Amino acid sequence: QVQLVESGGGMVQSGGSLRLSCTVSGDTLDYYHVAWFRRGSSQEREGITCISIDGATYSVEFAEGRFTISRDNAKNTVYLQMNNLKPEDTGVYQCATGTRAKCSGYGPLYYPRNYEFNIWGPGAQVYVSS
């Protein structure tokens, strides 16, 4: 059974950077599309970005130019590089996938369940101070 675990969260000052990791276990990452989401103070889940099995990526507007998703299949890990962080980026960041999940456009970032993203990591806390 595929499981995801996030790491790399922490506290950083405004303008700083963090790199989150999403490590896959129970299967080979090669076969999985992966997405990143977050929950901020509003507790509503926001889609950030996703990456397909062939490396295509899609990002929402607030992430463009600041957040970059990448994958290293040899390490079974997907990364989220976050630069120029702002206090409003504070939240719990989760990665998600599914045996039938597809990152084929922006849809999964708004309706993850409709696109079969149904396996979630526990999340990593990111805190950005002003």
Side-chain angles (χ1 to χ4, degrees):
Q1 182 177 354
V2 173
Q3 292 184 319
L4 307 176
V5 176
E6 303 89 347
S7 61
M11 186 179 300
V12 65
Q13 288 188 331
S14 182
S17 299
L18 280 175
R19 188 178 77 161
L20 302 182
S21 299
C22 172
T23 301
V24 175
S25 63
D27 204 344
T28 302
L29 175 62
D30 303 50
Y31 307 126
Y32 292 88
H33 301 240
V34 178
W36 283 96
F37 298 84
R38 72 182 186 185
R39 288 185 189 271
S41 57
S42 69
Q43 291 301 302
E44 291 187 8
R45 184 171 56 206
E46 288 184 293
I48 303 171
T49 184
C50 68
I51 187 165
S52 71
I53 56 175
D54 58 3
T57 64
Y58 299 88
S59 300
V60 297
E61 186 173 354
F62 75 75
E64 287 284 358
R66 296 196 300 131
F67 294 6
T68 304
I69 189 171
S70 61
R71 62 193 297 151
D72 186 339
N73 290 346
K75 295 183 178 180
N76 254 26
T77 300
V78 171
Y79 301 99
L80 181 66
Q81 177 68 44
M82 304 185 293
N83 298 326
N84 190 23
L85 283 162
K86 305 173 183 180
E88 52 264 42
D89 295 317
T90 293
V92 176
Y93 285 68
Q94 291 179 283
C95 54
T97 189
T99 55
R100 299 180 182 180
K102 288 283 196 308
C103 171
S104 53
Y106 298 95
L109 303 179
Y110 297 97
Y111 308 105
R113 295 195 187 282
N114 290 1
Y115 289 82
E116 309 276 4
F117 283 83
N118 49 28
I119 300 173
W120 297 79
Q125 177 71 54
V126 171
Y127 180 76
V128 184
S129 62
S130 57

